[in-house]
Amino acid sequence: MIKLDSFLRKLQNYEELCWENRNSGNPTKVIFHMTDIEDASNRLLRFAPYIEHVFPETVKYQGIIESELTEIPKMLREIESIDQINTNGRLFIKRDNDLPISGSIKARGGIYEVLKFAETIALNSGKLNITDNYTKLANSEYRELFSQYSISVGSTGNLGLSIGIMGAKLGFKTIVHMSEDAKEWKKELLRKKGVTVIEHCGDFNQAVNAGRKEAETDPKCHFVDDESSKDLFLGYSVAALRFKEQLKAQNIDVNAENPLFVYLPCGVGGGPGGVGFGLKMIYGENVNIIFVEPTHSPCMLLGLYTGLHDQISVHDIGIDGKTEADGLAVGKPSKLVGDVMSSLLYAETTFSDDRLFLYLAMLANTENIFIEPSAAAGFTSYVDVNKHLKKNNPMIGKGIHVVWATGGNMVPSKDMDEYYQRGEILLKKR
Ligand SMILES: *Cc1c(COP(=O)(O)O)cnc(C)c1O
C-alpha cells in the first residue's frame, strides 16, 4: 500500500478534483511520430472502398468512418446559466456518438486494429496487393482465409462492439470477453452478429486477462490488448488529422490568441490518448488536452500522479470502480498512454456520476443531441476547468472548447430515455 498524501486522500474519498499537470510541457518520451499517424490514416484510406461496400451507412462519407464537429451555442448558454460561469469562448461537440458502424469512439481504434490484422494476413497470403481495390476483401476467398484466424478482446462493452462487428464482418472467429456488469443489449447485439461472448465475474481487468491468456496459447489468435496496443492508439490518433480539416472547413484558426481546449473522457486511456497525442502533434502548445474520469474510477489520474501507471489500480487505495459511465469503468490505466501523455496532458478533472445525466439532458433539450452517460463527461470537465483553472490561465475564458462526445447511437432508445429522465429530474432540482 502506498503512502497517501492529501491529494490522494481526496481521490480516495471520491472528491471531485481538478488537477493541473505540473509535467505539462516537459520533454517527452518519444514513442510515436507524425509518420505513424499518417501511415494509419493511409491504411484507413485503402480500406475505405471496402468499408463503403460492406457498411452502406458509410456511403455518404465514402467509407471513411468520421463524425461531425458541431458548435453548440444553445448548450453553452444553458451551461453558463446553470453553472454560473461566464466565457467568451466557443463551445463545440465532436460527435463520435454518431460514428458509423459501432456508435462510439471505439469505431476508430478498434476497427483500425482489426483492419490492420486483416491486411497483414491478406498481404502475407500473396492474394492481396497494397495497390488493389480492397472491396475484393468481401469475396468468399478472403472470408475463408480470415475464418482460419480468430480475434479476441476483453471489453466493458464498446470496444467489444467495434472489434466484434468488424471482425465478424471480415469473417474472423471473434471472441469478446466481457465483465458481468457489461450491458445486456451489447452482449445480445454481438451474439446476433455471430460473435462469441464470454462473461466473466469481476471487473474489466479480469476479462482482459482471460482474453490475453487464451490468445497466448493460439498462434492464429490475435488479442486486442486495450492496455498496451499501439495499433489501437494509432487508429484513434487519425482523428486529429481529420479534425484539423474540419476546423479549417469552418474557417477556424488555432493560435496563441485562439487556443484549443479538448475535453476527453478517459477509461484505460487509448482513445483519449490517441486523439490527444494526434492533436498535440498538430497544434503543439496551442492545444490543451484535458482528460476526465469518474471519481469512482480515476485510474489514469492515479497512475499519472503517482507515476506508477499500470502498477497501481484504483482498488489498491480502496476505490470501488463503480460508475454508470461504463466506458470509463477501468481500474488500471495503460502505461503506454501514461508514458506518451505524462508531459502532453494539460489537466484532468473527475466527476460524480449524477452530473453526467444532468448534461446529457441539457444537451438533448438545447441541441437535440443524445449521447451516452460516459460521453457527457466532457461537459463536467468544461465547467470545472472554467471554474478552477481560469485564475492560472486566463485563455480558458476564450478560445475553442471541444467536448468529445464519445458514444451514444447504439444505446437502445429505452435505455436512453431512462438516462434522459434521470437528468430531467436533476435539472428540476437546480
Ligand atoms: C472506451 C470509451 C471511452 C474511453 O476510451 P479509453 O480508450 O478506454 O480510455 C470513453 N467513452 C466511451 C463511450 C467509451 O466507450
Side-chain angles (χ1 to χ4, degrees):
M1 181 97 170
I2 64 158
K3 202 166 168 303
L4 301 184
D5 63 12
S6 66
F7 181 83
L8 290 174
R9 272 199 300 276
K10 287 183 193 159
L11 194 77
Q12 183 184 45
N13 289 329
Y14 305 115
E15 281 180 42
E16 291 187 330
L17 297 167
C18 187
W19 177 72
E20 211 176 341
N21 180 16
R22 258 176 268 114
N23 280 327
S24 179
N26 285 346
T28 0
K29 199 163 167 183
V30 178
I31 299 173
F32 300 107
H33 301 87
M34 194 61 176
T35 48
D36 297 315
I37 305 178
E38 285 160 355
D39 175 60
S41 173
N42 290 335
R43 182 164 290 106
L44 289 170
L45 283 176
R46 290 198 289 279
F47 272 97
Y50 168 80
I51 296 287
E52 185 177 357
H53 180 65
V54 298
F55 293 108
E57 71 263 40
T58 66
V59 167
K60 66 177 171 192
Y61 309 104
Q62 287 93 46
I64 296 295
I65 303 163
E66 197 40 76
S67 71
E68 312 259 304
L69 175 69
T70 313
E71 185 160 19
I72 42 173
K74 287 187 233 133
M75 178 67 172
L76 177 58
R77 217 123 323 121
E78 185 77 352
I79 291 174
E80 287 185 323
S81 134
I82 298 242
D83 287 293
Q84 293 169 8
I85 55 171
N86 262 312
T87 73
N88 294 312
R90 296 169 69 182
L91 183 62
F92 290 74
I93 184 170
K94 179 62 176 152
R95 297 170 73 169
D96 278 8
N97 55 297
D98 284 336
L99 275 181
I101 303 176
S102 68
S104 81
I105 191 170
K106 305 293 194 309
R108 299 182 183 278
I111 289 178
Y112 174 76
E113 177 149 350
V114 173
L115 295 178
K116 187 176 175 202
F117 181 55
E119 186 186 51
T120 306
I121 293 169
L123 290 174
N124 288 344
S125 76
K127 292 183 208 288
L128 181 75
N129 198 298
I130 210 157
T131 55
D132 288 350
N133 182 328
Y134 280 22
T135 44
K136 72 187 210 184
L137 295 175
N139 297 347
S140 58
E141 174 190 12
Y142 287 96
R143 292 186 53 80
E144 259 158 47
L145 174 66
F146 296 142
S147 72
Q148 297 163 29
Y149 294 83
S150 57
I151 298 179
S152 131
V153 64
S155 170
T156 55
N158 285 342
L159 183 63
L161 284 182
S162 285
I163 303 284
I165 293 171
M166 193 67 244
K169 183 64 90 179
L170 281 156
F172 289 107
K173 276 178 267 171
T174 311
I175 305 127
V176 177
H177 296 267
M178 279 181 156
S179 48
E180 228 172 9
D181 56 352
K183 296 264 181 299
E184 206 49 52
W185 65 265
K186 294 184 182 173
K187 297 174 192 167
E188 266 169 42
L189 193 150
L190 283 172
R191 288 186 174 125
K192 228 183 265 163
K193 305 242 177 217
V195 174
T196 306
V197 177
I198 302 174
E199 292 175 66
H200 296 270
C201 357
D203 74 355
F204 170 73
N205 290 98
Q206 278 160 286
V208 170
N209 288 337
R212 187 183 288 122
K213 245 201 202 127
E214 184 184 9
E216 271 167 6
T217 59
D218 179 356
K220 287 200 155 179
C221 180
H222 179 78
F223 176 64
V224 177
D225 195 334
D226 203 10
E227 285 171 25
S228 56
S229 165
K230 294 185 173 176
D231 289 339
L232 270 183
F233 186 90
L234 290 171
Y236 289 120
S237 74
V238 173
L241 300 178
R242 304 192 186 150
F243 180 88
K244 180 182 157 200
E245 296 307 317
Q246 291 184 319
L247 272 190
K248 253 200 222 152
Q250 299 193 34
N251 294 316
I252 296 168
D253 270 337
V254 175
N255 52 49
E257 257 54 79
N258 196 38
L260 256 179
F261 295 85
V262 183
Y263 304 87
L264 291 150
C266 181
V268 70
V275 171
F277 169 74
L279 291 171
K280 278 310 248 190
M281 292 298 285
I282 291 169
Y283 298 110
E285 60 186 18
N286 294 329
V287 61
N288 300 280
I289 304 298
I290 299 122
F291 283 0
V292 50
E293 290 181 296
T295 52
H296 282 254
S297 202
C299 67
M300 184 59 76
L301 181 53
L302 180 63
L304 285 173
Y305 184 84
T306 58
L308 292 171
H309 302 297
D310 61 347
Q311 297 306 303
I312 189 164
S313 143
V314 296
H315 303 292
D316 295 339
I317 64 166
I319 293 175
D320 63 15
K322 289 193 178 11
T323 168
E324 298 189 62
D326 51 356
L328 314 181
V330 181
K332 266 191 341 183
S334 159
K335 175 166 165 40
L336 173 70
V337 173
D339 281 341
V340 174
M341 293 307 291
S342 63
S343 59
L344 297 180
L345 189 72
Y346 168 55
E348 156 131 19
T349 66
T350 62
F351 61 87
S352 325
D353 280 8
D354 265 357
R355 294 174 73 199
L356 301 177
F357 299 94
L358 184 73
Y359 294 108
L360 184 155
M362 280 163 66
L363 185 66
N365 291 340
T366 55
E367 309 279 352
N368 197 28
I369 298 173
F370 289 80
I371 61 179
E372 66 182 87
S374 299
F379 290 108
T380 71
S381 192
Y382 171 73
V383 169
D384 294 349
V385 163
N386 263 280
K387 279 192 175 161
H388 304 296
L389 296 185
K390 220 188 290 184
K391 56 183 183 297
N392 301 346
N393 180 358
M395 292 313 288
I396 289 168
K398 304 194 227 169
I400 303 295
H401 296 258
V402 180
V403 167
W404 210 282
T406 44
N409 81 4
M410 299 289 273
V411 176
S413 55
K414 185 178 139 287
D415 296 54
M416 189 59 89
D417 205 49
E418 277 170 27
Y419 299 150
Y420 174 77
Q421 293 307 337
R422 188 167 159 188
E424 276 289 277
I425 291 167
L426 293 166
L427 256 179
K428 293 213 174 84
K429 285 193 198 146
R430 286 271 177 142

